[in-house]
Amino acid sequence: QVQLEESGGGLVQAGDSLRLSCAVSGRTSSRPTMAWFRQAPGKGREFVAALFRGGTNTYYADSVKGRFTISRDNARSTVYLQMNSLRPEDTAVYYCAADSRLILSSIATATQYDYWGQGTQVTVSS
């Protein structure tokens, strides 16, 4: 089993920055795909960013490209989401997800991920 725990959410103003963290514990494949998704009230879970299979290739939703950066610290077993130039439309609960078997074409599909954290709220005021 893999456990994921997000932290770092909060209330910020438009244009501010936040860094989310996802602490990974438990039995993990050496090369899981790690991703961030978000869910705004009344909407479905939306792909934000991913690191594919423990490598350095990163993938982003068009809505966050150039503003958000996903990274990992293997020594700390932690994945980060640096969010800059935040906008009110970025307001959502942000979830960390992991999976060891999904293929690249499924990287943005929430149902393909086996492991999820509890989520952390990000609220951006205008």
Side-chain angles (χ1 to χ4, degrees):
Q1 284 289 342
V2 176
Q3 291 81 43
L4 306 175
E5 184 174 0
E6 304 94 337
S7 61
L11 171 63
V12 297
Q13 293 187 328
D16 285 351
S17 298
L18 273 178
R19 188 178 77 162
L20 305 184
S21 299
C22 172
V24 183
S25 61
R27 191 170 65 185
T28 62
S29 159
S30 60
R31 299 177 65 83
T33 293
M34 300 299 302
W36 289 94
F37 287 77
R38 66 187 182 186
Q39 189 164 16
K43 295 188 176 181
R45 201 159 289 191
E46 175 191 24
F47 171 75
V48 175
L51 274 165
F52 185 62
R53 290 197 181 174
T56 57
N57 290 338
T58 55
Y59 301 86
Y60 297 94
D62 287 343
S63 58
V64 306
K65 206 171 290 184
R67 300 188 298 124
F68 291 11
T69 303
I70 186 172
S71 62
R72 79 168 79 217
D73 183 337
N74 289 325
R76 291 183 169 83
S77 298
T78 302
V79 177
Y80 301 101
L81 184 68
Q82 177 67 43
M83 305 186 295
N84 298 329
S85 302
L86 282 162
R87 304 168 180 169
E89 53 264 39
D90 294 319
T91 295
V93 177
Y94 282 71
Y95 296 91
C96 180
D99 196 274
S100 300
R101 299 171 297 173
L102 64 79
I103 59 176
L104 184 56
S105 61
S106 298
I107 201 168
T109 306
T111 55
Q112 295 298 308
Y113 287 81
D114 283 344
Y115 302 103
W116 291 87
Q118 299 278 24
T120 185
Q121 177 70 48
V122 173
T123 304
V124 185
S125 64
S126 56

